Amino acid sequence: MAIGRRRMLIGSAVTAGVVVGCSREDGTAAEEGPVELAKTADVPVGSALVVDDIVLTQQQPGRIQGFSAVCPHAGCAVSKVDGAKVVCPCHGSSFGLDGAVLTGPAREPLRPVAVTVRGDSVVTG
């Protein structure tokens, strides 16, 4: 039996609604809002910290920026910090603390991610 286009789209929309609607283990709705990534003291000045899928950098004291940890070359996760360089382990691309490509094969910079300093914490958004 062939599934019509309309039925497939409706099924996809229902599935997407279920996936998007998040809940906790106790069945209550998950709260949305800023999530703490790190304490500001954990992000070294002149270096970076990789937290899950976000790279936090601090080029100058108090100036923390966020970038996606996904390397734009082949989608691997950058995971190594070497001083003022963030390195992708898959093909050796390296990025500066501003997300710019220092060495390839990547040609595009790391994608910026919005982060905010709130008190002594770095949070999403």
Side-chain angles (χ1 to χ4, degrees):
M1 176 179 151
I3 296 175
R5 181 172 180 250
R6 178 173 287 171
R7 181 169 285 192
M8 183 180 76
L9 290 173
I10 291 170
S12 297
V14 169
T15 301
V18 170
V19 170
V20 170
C22 297
S23 65
R24 296 185 179 140
E25 288 181 22
D26 65 2
T28 61
E31 295 179 28
E32 291 186 29
V35 174
E36 183 176 306
L37 298 169
K39 296 294 184 188
T40 54
D42 295 336
V43 184
V45 176
S47 192
L49 174 70
V50 180
V51 180
D52 298 324
D53 58 349
I54 297 177
V55 177
L56 299 173
T57 67
Q58 188 170 193
Q59 294 182 61
Q60 301 166 3
R63 185 171 176 244
I64 296 178
Q65 294 179 285
F67 298 93
S68 170
V70 177
C71 180
H73 171 248
C76 295
V78 298
S79 57
K80 182 179 176 189
V81 177
D82 182 12
K85 293 191 299 186
V86 179
V87 182
C88 178
C90 292
H91 301 105
S93 293
S94 65
F95 303 88
L97 299 180
D98 60 355
V101 177
L102 298 176
T103 59
R107 294 182 183 184
E108 300 294 321
L110 295 175
R111 184 180 53 81
V113 172
V115 296
T116 304
V117 173
R118 289 198 179 159
D120 66 346
S121 297
V122 182
V123 300
T124 57

